[in-house]
Amino acid sequence: MRDKTKMIHGGITGDDRTGAVSVPIYQVSTYKQDGVGNLRDGYEYSRTGNPTRHALETVIRDLENGEAGFAFGSGMAAITSVMMLFETGDHIVMTDDVYGGSYRLVANVLNRFNLGHTFADTSDPAKVEAAIQDNTKALFIETPTNPLLKITDLKKMKEIADRHDLLLIVDNTFATPYWQKPLDFGADIVLHSATKYIGGHSDVVSGLVVVNTAELAEKLHFIQNSAGAVLGPQDSWLLMRGIKTLALRMEAIEENAKKLVQFLTKHPQVSKVYYPGLEDHPGHETAKKQAGGFGGMISFDVGSGEMADKLLERVNYFILAESLGAVESLISVPAKMTHASIPAGRRNELGITDGLIRISAGIEDAEDLIDDLKQALE
Ligand SMILES: *Cc1c(COP(=O)(O)O)cnc(C)c1O
């Protein structure tokens, strides 16, 4: 089955009993047993398993070509649950311009449990090698990164992971399985903030994980059930609904993103545009090799915080908001919003300046989006 078909017919579809074409929302906490321990369909309590959540977990498994899928109450709940695979004294190497929440989790929460970490520029394999210690257990990669859209070579990360016997974990939120399938490149775990493109309509907070072996599946299910950060049935259903149009949305978003990039690169007020689809982007060739598309995220520098503020005040269609990956175009200033939890010194080191603006292209008419930016930049 190809991806566009999987999004409609993959996983578990409909309801055998009634013929309903949409998976029912099993809004239920517990299940009647026909005698002690005699379960009708394997379900006993909805933290452990719920049919609506299971249908979602099956379709994301199919889309990522993995062994098993898991749905969590947020992207951070998904990442936290994956981190619980490690033990105190272990160490992980993480992409340096990783999502701010992931940075905060390892730097300010998991450090208290003595899970060590080193941030490294994973777009440079030599820097990843240099960050590995005797107790390193995993590489945690984001590609493209947020907000500078740096690209990490998945094949090279797999080689390093194999050489040092590390788990390769990829946050695939920006690319989605429609454009990029990390497990096909040998990653062990792929995860998503499904709040973003997979949900796609700015109406649900959620996280998804897919693992590539039965052993990891058993361990993660144990953690999911023990820690209990599960996604509810209603939100699981919303994600399945989102997945049905994921291909269409990703195509439309990328088309708009390319037109916006074309406009921005020519504009005199814009000093730099970050987009992996640009030929002069350092990760362009790698992105072309490992992903089917370049995505809908664009960052550009307008030179100063004041310029950025003015632009944000004037745009009409771009909604000033955190988050990304929705049908509506969103705009933000990473230094003051998504990446505010990263210390200023570190932000400047990474290139996340006060004048850096991030756009998440939506599916509106591209001409309206361009006109909007044009009047705001003038
Ligand atoms: C938003 C985001 C997260 C966190 O997900 P939530 O659903 O907000 O908890 C993790 N990684 C990336 C790349 C994100 O964009």
Side-chain angles (χ1 to χ4, degrees), residues 74-77 79 99 102 142 146 171 173-174 193-196 205-206 324:
S74 69
M76 289 321 303
I79 294 170
Y99 176 70
S102 305
E142 211 176 288
N146 184 12
D171 182 333
T173 301
F174 273 38
S193 167
T195 311
K196 316 293 168 54
V205 172
S206 53
L324 59 106

Side-chain angles (χ1 to χ4, degrees), residues 3-16:
D3 271 358
K4 281 183 179 167
T5 311
K6 269 189 201 170
M7 287 171 193
I8 309 298
H9 297 288
I12 293 164
T13 51
D15 175 41
D16 283 345

